[in-house]
Amino acid sequence: MTAVTRFRAPWGWSGRRIRRDTVAIPILLIAATAAAGPPPTVDADTRAWWDITAQLSNDAMEGRDTGSAAYDRAAKLVAGKYQTAGLQPLGEDGGWFQPVPMNEVTVERADVSVGGSTLKFLFDFSVTPTGAMPARLDAPIAYRGYCSASTLGEVHGKVVVCHGTHRAGLPSAAERVTAVKAGGAIGLITIYDPGFTVEPPRWPFAYARDVRLADTKPDADALVRLTLNADALGAVVGPGYDPASLISRGSAGEPLPNFDAAEPLHAAFVLKRRDIVSSNVIGLLPGTDARLADQAIVLSAHLDGYGYGTPVRGDGIYNGTLDDAAYVALLIRLAQRRHGSGYRRPLVFVAFTGEEKGLLGSEWFARHPTRPLSRIAADINLDQLRPIFPLELLTVHALDDTTLGDDVRAVAAGMGIAVQPDPEPERNLLRRADQWNFLKAGVPATAFVFGYRPGSASERVYREWYRTGYHRPQDDLDQPVDWKAAADFNRFFYALVARVADEDAAPAWKPGSALAPQGHEP
């Protein structure tokens, strides 16, 4: 069989893959040698945490894509570590796993051309597939700026090009879709805005897939939706217009024209549909105080990653080391440190599947909990954490919505860490990780992002990681890690869990919270 060896260079670059026909490299050998690991000065606890991270995100785990055999291997590894750490199974049928049934639609091939120009799939454009989208599309192109309903004009039977702006006062993504569908358009091309510098565009896309829970209503939307690389706009609108000027003005929120392109768009799609099952991994650390038995604290992180995708600089495995193998590893490390010795409240440890496909594992758990939600007091979720610069400031989701924010402030203050609410709400990070499904279900929840001061060196590192590491093969074991920052956050997490799990009062919603469901606000 064919084995693969990867030669690496510093973060932001990964060398070519060298293939050689030989016997398979044993998985344990890969796990032992895939990462350089922390330096000798790093403390034993952080070293143990990173060892688990390496086991979960080395190349043998193939990026742990939802529904893959590699994900199942990772889930079994997590379950085994839960067991040896003294947790009790809390999945279905007395086991560790909660199977989550899903339906997947993948665009295996997409051919798109305008006039004499051919666009490259996943590099110049991507596709958001639906079960009802047509296999072919031939239609005129209408460029309509920001696609406001009031200025859209005639678009019936056309493919509409819209700027994907995030600017306040301009149409949102949902508003653009509503407008073009109301106008009778049959396709929507959204320009991936290079002016959105807080989270800049990343090309190529790994792949084009849509995954939904199997018990949700099938998607009957036939609107063809493409995402366009701004560099390819000229090929779409054709001669007579300055694409660079359109992009610049669109990124700045300046007035834009409406016009119809000279050439129509021709597209053909090859879709693959399949049913998949992927499991949440759930364990219980029982509490020591019977009076608090119905106030469990969920500790969560997501186990899934992107798996194999479009190679970037020769590397096609999207390892997902910091997103989010490292923080599944931190859940395991906490369980190991306690080794069956509980806090006053029970702890439920959940490694979710399907987060990268739309928070699907946590949505399933919230709708089909293996422990009733009425017996869950809070969720502390670990995601969006990047220990790549000093931990001096922590962004806290739902900071002022529940008493968990008070606990965070108290623990952080004792460590000399400042806290802040999300300074970039336009990114919608609160709703992009698994804590959101707990908040929607009325359960107090929180999560964290390493913060930075505007204009600081930390901000520059953070922005660069989002440009070159986020959802990229370069989020791997060889990327630079600030080991002190990693250890500081781990200690913060241990202390926060102890405080929340042992204090007399259960986490609660605060008066006036905009997130508190009706009936939950005190």
Side-chain angles (χ1 to χ4, degrees):
M1 68 187 285
T2 301
V4 177
T5 301
R6 175 151 54 188
F7 291 80
R8 298 214 184 244
W11 174 58
W13 185 92
S14 186
R16 64 189 180 95
R17 297 172 71 86
I18 297 179
R19 306 186 69 87
R20 52 192 172 86
D21 293 329
T22 182
V23 297
I25 299 174
I27 288 176
L28 290 179
L29 177 60
I30 295 175
T33 60
T41 53
V42 169
D43 64 277
D45 183 76
T46 304
R47 188 176 298 277
W49 162 70
W50 193 252
D51 178 67
I52 301 168
T53 300
Q55 293 174 51
L56 289 173
S57 65
N58 63 67
D59 281 3
M61 283 301 182
E62 302 174 16
R64 310 176 310 282
D65 196 7
T66 301
S68 68
Y71 178 89
D72 291 343
R73 291 198 305 272
K76 290 176 181 177
L77 188 152
V78 171
K81 291 188 179 297
Y82 279 0
Q83 184 172 22
T84 57
L87 301 186
Q88 299 176 6
L90 195 62
E92 291 187 359
D93 301 322
W96 297 102
F97 305 112
Q98 181 188 35
V100 181
M102 310 176 199
N103 303 132
E104 178 185 85
V105 181
T106 301
V107 181
E108 293 198 314
R109 177 173 174 174
D111 298 317
V112 172
S113 63
V114 180
S117 298
T118 298
L119 277 63
K120 187 175 182 181
F121 181 42
L122 301 178
F123 289 80
D124 293 327
F125 73 97
S126 186
V127 184
T128 301
T130 69
M133 68 179 289
R136 296 192 63 85
L137 180 67
D138 298 281
I141 298 171
Y143 174 93
R144 292 296 186 266
Y146 304 110
C147 293
S148 170
S150 61
T151 61
L152 196 62
E154 171 57 40
V155 296
H156 186 81
K158 299 178 181 180
V159 177
V160 184
V161 179
C162 306
H163 283 261
T165 180
H166 297 261
R167 288 182 171 272
L170 292 174
S172 67
E175 290 168 338
R176 292 191 292 269
V177 170
T178 298
V180 300
K181 289 174 72 172
I186 60 175
L188 169 64
I189 300 176
T190 302
I191 302 168
Y192 200 165
D193 181 15
F196 190 50
T197 55
V198 297
E199 196 167 317
R202 294 171 301 279
W203 293 92
F205 277 36
Y207 39 65
R209 296 179 189 164
D210 180 75
V211 184
R212 295 169 183 257
L213 294 175
D215 67 353
T216 58
K217 184 178 179 180
D219 190 344
D221 189 352
L223 183 73
V224 174
R225 306 184 198 196
L226 307 183
T227 301
L228 183 70
N229 187 332
D231 292 341
L233 180 61
V236 173
V237 300
Y241 300 95
D242 182 354
S245 175
L246 294 174
I247 293 298
S248 175
R249 290 158 62 188
S251 293
E254 297 175 359
L256 292 168
N258 283 3
F259 60 85
D260 290 349
E263 298 286 348
L265 178 140
H266 303 285
F269 308 105
V270 177
L271 305 181
K272 178 181 178 181
R273 298 171 174 84
R274 65 174 183 145
D275 299 330
I276 60 176
V277 176
S278 191
S279 293
N280 297 327
V281 191
I282 312 173
L284 172 69
L285 179 62
T288 61
D289 189 336
R291 296 170 298 175
L292 306 181
D294 289 339
Q295 299 178 12
I297 307 301
V298 172
L299 308 179
S300 58
H302 72 88
L303 180 59
D304 66 302
Y306 264 52
Y308 286 104
T310 305
V312 177
R313 294 170 180 164
D315 186 352
I317 298 178
Y318 289 58
N319 300 78
T321 294
L322 296 183
D323 187 15
D324 194 28
Y327 293 96
V328 173
L330 186 54
L331 299 186
I332 293 169
R333 186 64 196 134
L334 174 61
Q336 291 174 338
R337 286 166 58 95
R338 299 299 296 190
H339 199 70
S341 176
Y343 301 90
R344 293 179 66 197
R345 287 183 177 80
L347 296 183
V348 177
F349 292 73
V350 190
F352 284 121
T353 188
E355 191 273 350
E356 299 290 10
K357 303 301 188 286
L359 316 185
L360 300 182
S362 58
E363 181 181 347
W364 186 265
F365 179 86
R367 292 203 274 116
H368 308 277
T370 59
R371 181 185 183 93
L373 292 184
S374 61
R375 300 181 63 199
I376 293 176
D379 169 59
I380 301 173
N381 188 49
L382 301 179
D383 194 5
Q384 304 173 345
L385 293 159
R386 322 293 181 221
I388 52 179
F389 52 82
L391 179 55
E392 300 168 348
L393 176 63
L394 200 59
T395 296
V396 183
H397 291 316
L399 175 62
D400 297 314
D401 291 279
T402 78
T403 58
L404 289 170
D406 300 333
D407 296 316
V408 168
R409 283 188 168 97
V411 174
M415 297 179 62
I417 301 170
V419 300
Q420 66 177 2
D422 188 357
E424 297 171 343
E426 64 272 25
R427 295 176 66 194
N428 207 25
L429 292 179
L430 174 68
R431 293 167 174 80
R432 286 170 53 184
D434 289 314
Q435 71 276 350
W436 180 239
N437 281 317
F438 287 91
L439 291 166
K440 285 199 303 181
V443 177
T446 193
F448 318 97
V449 180
F450 275 49
Y452 45 81
R453 306 296 182 189
S456 66
S458 293
E459 181 180 11
R460 291 192 291 275
V461 172
Y462 181 87
R463 301 293 188 204
E464 179 67 9
W465 192 90
Y466 263 89
R467 189 181 69 82
T468 62
Y470 181 53
H471 292 170
R472 284 285 179 272
Q474 286 68 39
D475 178 15
D476 62 12
L477 291 164
D478 291 336
Q479 65 189 300
V481 172
D482 185 318
W483 296 104
K484 182 180 183 305
D488 286 345
F489 181 83
N490 294 359
R491 289 190 299 109
F492 163 83
F493 176 67
Y494 299 150
L496 178 65
V497 170
R499 178 183 173 93
V500 173
D502 281 341
E503 62 188 348
D504 291 335
W509 292 95
K510 286 192 169 184
S513 168
L515 298 176
Q518 187 175 3
H520 287 269
E521 184 181 325

